[in-house]
Amino acid sequence: MSRRSHTVAVVAFDAVQLLDVTGPVEVFTTANRYGADYDVRVVSPTGADVVTSSGLTVGVSGSLSSLPRRIGTLLVPGRRDWRAAVGDTDLVDTVTHLAGRAERVTSVCAGAFVLAATGLLDGRRAATHWELARELAVAFPGVRVEREPVFVRDGHVVTSAGVTAGIDLALSLVEEDWGADVARDVARQLVVFMARPGGQAQFSARLAPGQPRHSAVRRVMDHVGADPSAEHTLDSLAAVAGVSARHLGRLFRTEIGMSPGQYVESMRMEAAQVLLEKGGDTVEEVAQQAGFGSSESLRRAFQHTLGVSPTTYRARFQSTAGSRRVVAA
């Protein structure tokens, strides 16, 4: 654990997502109240204040020249229009330069695209917002994109998922630097999870791949999507596709990266999620309607895929009412 002052350099730029910046900054500065010693500097490539995605202006500490020679942690937030961010040569050059001076390099949400543009993520595992994971993988094929984790560490580089995941990332860094007790105090103060239960899959309605090229795969996907609860065997799906079962398996793995059986379960998971979010049926009834057969099978699938039970998922995503305390007048 660190027992010395640790400089955190946050690179801000126009149209940056506000919470990508302020969430981690709040974690680090709150940690100072509990014994940490972070010197947090928000800088911009030009040294000028920046206008964030929400229209609010963020004041910066200065330009690169205001930073010490060695940086403890470099944090790169994201911009929703990641193409504009990676096309900003001043920004990419700034991050490239600072990364060479940092003991640890991190990103929040679409900040991973900027790190990828510097080449720092080549050959590394990385995370970003679940909606952007496919775009990151296509734009930077040298990056091993992981869709599920809230944050991913690969060597001295740590990348996180979307927006509020920057808080999870910062808490993990506080724990690494100053211990679990300090991180726990910060989490309590900010009223957030010390470790968020489940991964990104619980926040995405569908992580399924895009439109496949092969017509046989499209036919099977349409067939399963029309009724996920039906009895879909490999042989019956092969009959729908008009190919052999073995060939269908090869096509699915090539086109969408999973077996036909895994695709069926993913569609049943999606159906169950929708039923839990929008209806009042029991878990057993949801399991039957979605094609899982029993509530126990549904629970196992939810725990394996989302890291939470169906009941917890419903409470978390059906309504905000469950988190409110109602005080009678």
Side-chain angles (χ1 to χ4, degrees):
M1 290 184 296
S2 174
R3 290 300 174 204
R4 59 184 175 82
S5 182
H6 183 112
T7 300
V8 178
V10 181
V11 181
F13 48 92
D14 283 334
V16 69
Q17 292 198 136
L18 178 63
L19 197 55
D20 285 10
V21 175
T22 58
V25 166
E26 192 68 28
V27 170
F28 292 125
T29 55
T30 301
N32 287 343
R33 297 169 51 185
Y34 297 100
D37 188 5
Y38 288 109
D39 176 16
V40 181
R41 314 275 191 96
V42 179
V43 299
S44 67
T46 63
D49 296 346
V50 302
V51 180
T52 66
S53 59
S54 60
L56 294 178
T57 299
V58 168
V60 303
S61 307
S63 62
L64 310 193
S65 61
S66 67
L67 295 172
R69 186 179 65 82
R70 292 301 299 169
I71 300 166
T73 298
L74 172 65
L75 189 143
V76 182
R79 174 179 177 174
R80 194 64 185 173
D81 182 2
W82 61 263
R83 292 176 179 82
V86 301
D88 184 340
T89 55
D90 287 342
L91 173 61
V92 175
D93 289 346
T94 295
V95 171
T96 301
H97 174 69
L98 293 180
R101 295 162 52 184
E103 298 172 12
R104 185 168 60 197
V105 180
T106 68
S107 68
V108 181
C109 196
F113 287 86
V114 179
L115 289 190
T118 71
L120 191 60
L121 296 185
D122 287 349
R124 296 186 188 273
R125 297 164 52 243
T128 188
H129 192 289
W130 63 267
E131 281 190 324
L132 300 176
R134 175 173 291 275
E135 294 177 40
L136 180 60
V138 171
F140 299 96
V143 181
R144 294 156 54 196
V145 181
E146 298 205 3
R147 298 167 181 266
E148 167 63 12
V150 174
F151 58 87
V152 169
R153 174 184 289 277
D154 193 323
H156 74 295
V157 180
V158 193
T159 51
S160 78
V163 197
T164 59
I167 294 174
D168 300 78
L169 167 67
L171 277 172
S172 75
L173 300 181
V174 170
E175 181 176 10
E176 177 182 322
D177 295 338
W178 299 94
D181 288 344
V182 174
R184 195 173 295 112
D185 286 338
V186 175
R188 288 196 189 103
Q189 179 63 33
L190 299 182
V191 197
V192 295
F193 287 116
M194 174 73 165
R196 188 194 302 248
Q200 287 200 80
Q202 61 185 305
F203 300 101
S204 59
R206 177 182 292 183
L207 294 181
Q211 187 77 344
R213 291 171 296 176
H214 202 287
S215 60
V217 178
R218 292 198 298 272
R219 283 197 299 273
V220 170
M221 292 174 72
D222 291 343
H223 178 72
V224 173
D227 185 7
S229 65
E231 184 177 355
H232 299 296
T233 67
L234 181 57
D235 287 338
S236 69
L237 295 177
V240 170
V243 298
S244 70
R246 178 176 295 182
H247 187 48
L248 182 64
R250 284 196 297 266
L251 287 173
F252 259 74
R253 287 186 176 85
T254 300
E255 294 270 330
I256 64 173
M258 65 178 74
S259 70
Q262 288 170 327
Y263 180 75
V264 170
E265 177 151 323
S266 74
M267 293 301 291
R268 288 174 176 168
M269 278 292 301
E270 181 182 338
Q273 286 174 269
V274 172
L275 290 167
L276 288 168
E277 290 167 10
K278 298 184 177 180
D281 294 333
T282 66
V283 172
E284 185 67 39
E285 290 169 336
V286 168
Q288 294 291 335
Q289 293 171 47
F292 283 95
S294 71
S295 58
E296 183 56 35
S297 295
L298 180 62
R299 287 189 187 95
R300 284 198 300 269
F302 263 66
Q303 288 290 352
H304 175 73
T305 305
L306 306 181
V308 295
S309 69
T311 301
T312 300
Y313 180 89
R314 167 177 273 162
R316 190 170 294 163
F317 292 100
Q318 187 178 56
S319 170
T320 60
S323 63
R324 302 177 188 144
R325 270 187 84 183
V326 179
V327 181

